[in-house]
Amino acid sequence: MIFLVWILGSFPGVFSFLPSPRLHARTSALSPSSVRPPAAAVNPWGNPCASTAAKLSAPTALCMAAVSQKEAQRGIDKVVGALRRDGQCLEELGNLVKVTNVLGFGSPRPGTLAVRFNAQFKKGGKGMSSIPLPFGLGQSNKSEGRGVMVGQVKASIDTESGKIKECSVFRDLGYGRAFNLTV
């Protein structure tokens, strides 16, 4: 047993699971207070979040402009309206019935609003199903239809002009074809 401890103790770099005084000296020098940038950090690229990055303990910080839910909803409504009016979208995907889930929104670049949501599209069928009505009242003439397809819509909108920069609809969870709205 003493022989094994002597061998393991003589090779601290190889057996990293043993506590090493050199390792402890290196990690104590990297405490969060030593990694933090100085309070008067100047960013040469003009990042508006330089003061925020100076307050964080991590050496890098991700800065995105805050987007309210109301702004995002206006952007989603604009994209939904454009998809409902586009003839190629109606032919290829069908009519946009409703937005099911809002997956996310934000501002990746200044002046740009990015939204991502799931939407139901429905193509109309020509067949009529004869569903029997209760109490022997006859049959209904309800349209049979083809069901609905749920696609993920990803769009970028210019916040200054309100125009859609790009919009694409991924069907089949992104493994199938994508429809790109022409803007």
Side-chain angles (χ1 to χ4, degrees):
M1 181 72 179
I2 295 174
F3 178 72
L4 182 63
V5 172
W6 177 75
I7 289 178
L8 293 178
S10 61
F11 301 107
V14 176
F15 302 101
S16 62
F17 57 86
L18 292 175
S20 168
R22 287 185 290 165
L23 179 66
H24 179 68
R26 275 187 252 139
T27 56
S28 64
L30 294 176
S31 66
S33 62
S34 66
V35 175
R36 185 175 297 141
V42 177
N43 190 348
W45 295 284
N47 186 356
C49 295
S51 61
T52 307
K55 295 176 187 174
L56 298 173
S57 62
T60 60
L62 179 64
C63 175
M64 294 179 74
V67 175
S68 70
Q69 188 171 359
K70 193 174 187 178
E71 290 173 324
Q73 189 61 45
R74 277 188 294 208
I76 290 171
D77 291 341
K78 188 171 290 288
V79 171
V80 167
L83 287 172
R84 285 184 175 154
R85 284 189 306 269
D86 189 49
Q88 188 179 4
C89 177
L90 290 172
E91 180 183 322
E92 196 168 330
L93 299 172
N95 189 24
L96 194 147
V97 178
K98 67 177 180 176
V99 173
T100 55
N101 287 333
V102 176
L103 301 173
F105 55 86
S107 180
R109 293 177 301 278
T112 302
L113 170 68
V115 292
R116 191 177 280 238
F117 57 92
N118 287 343
Q120 276 186 357
F121 294 90
K122 183 174 184 174
K123 283 189 172 183
K126 297 197 188 287
M128 302 292 269
S129 65
S130 55
I131 300 171
L133 295 173
F135 308 115
L137 295 173
Q139 297 176 341
S140 69
N141 291 329
K142 186 176 179 184
S143 174
E144 195 169 70
R146 297 183 183 171
V148 294
M149 184 275 301
V150 176
Q152 189 177 105
V153 181
K154 176 181 143 185
S156 294
I157 303 152
D158 186 16
T159 55
E160 312 294 320
S161 64
K163 291 186 178 181
I164 299 173
K165 291 181 178 180
E166 59 183 350
C167 177
S168 56
V169 180
F170 304 110
R171 49 183 133 186
D172 303 328
L173 298 172
Y175 294 108
R177 294 182 309 168
F179 169 77
N180 294 317
L181 181 70
T182 53
V183 288

